């Protein structure tokens, strides 16, 4: 169980990094940055609520010593799902409205062997 947890925690950190890294590029970055900070703060609040929920439910049982591990498993699922949903909302609200430009080749590739 601890080994699985040691694999899930870096994946949780990776989900924060991917959320931040895939922010849309805009001329005015302030609204996107505010959305990112608000989404990350809400993700941390959701994490705190998940921890509170797991702890309050497990303290009455006989396996109350393992509540931190169970809470970590819940966190490793809840936070990436929330960040994925927040990323979809961010893409819908702040994404590019025009089509992407086609790739421009800067040199002649007609004599290149592939």
């Amino acid at each position: 169980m601890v080994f699985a947890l040691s694999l899930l925690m870096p994946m949780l950190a990776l989900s924060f990094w991917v959320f931040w890294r895939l922010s849309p590029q805009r001329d005015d970055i302030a609204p996107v940055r505010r959305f990112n900070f608000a989404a990350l703060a809400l993700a941390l609040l959701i994490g705190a609520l998940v921890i509170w929920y797991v702890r309050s439910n497990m303290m009455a049982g006989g396996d109350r010593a393992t509540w931190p591990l169970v809470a970590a498993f819940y966190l490793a699922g809840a936070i990436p799902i929330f960040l994925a949903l927040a990323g979809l909302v961010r893409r819908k609200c702040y994404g590019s409205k025009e089509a992407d430009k086609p790739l421009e080749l800067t040199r002649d590739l007609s004599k290149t062997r592939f």
Side-chain angles (χ1 to χ4, degrees):
M1 200 159 159
V2 175
F3 177 71
L5 184 63
S6 69
L7 295 177
L8 287 174
M9 288 297 109
M11 289 175 49
L12 181 63
L14 179 69
S15 68
F16 280 106
W17 180 80
V18 166
F19 176 77
W20 192 265
R21 187 74 176 121
L22 293 180
S23 292
Q25 300 299 319
R26 296 176 51 104
D27 294 334
D28 185 19
I29 194 102
V32 176
R33 187 165 289 172
R34 279 193 299 266
F35 181 88
N36 285 344
F37 282 125
L40 292 176
L42 193 56
L44 293 175
L45 178 67
I46 287 172
L49 290 174
V50 165
I51 290 171
W52 175 78
Y53 173 77
V54 170
R55 185 179 187 280
S56 66
N57 283 339
M58 290 188 70
M59 288 310 277
D63 57 352
R64 63 180 164 261
T66 61
W67 77 264
L69 291 172
V70 175
F73 281 114
Y74 275 66
L75 285 177
I79 289 180
I81 289 171
F82 172 76
L83 289 178
L85 291 175
L88 290 174
V89 169
R90 179 185 62 197
R91 180 112 168 131
K92 186 72 173 168
C93 293
Y94 298 109
S96 176
K97 301 296 184 212
E98 68 242 8
D100 290 335
K101 291 188 259 182
L103 180 64
E104 296 178 14
L105 299 176
T106 58
R107 63 181 199 170
D108 183 23
L109 297 176
S110 62
K111 296 182 176 103
T112 304
R113 289 182 63 190
F114 290 102

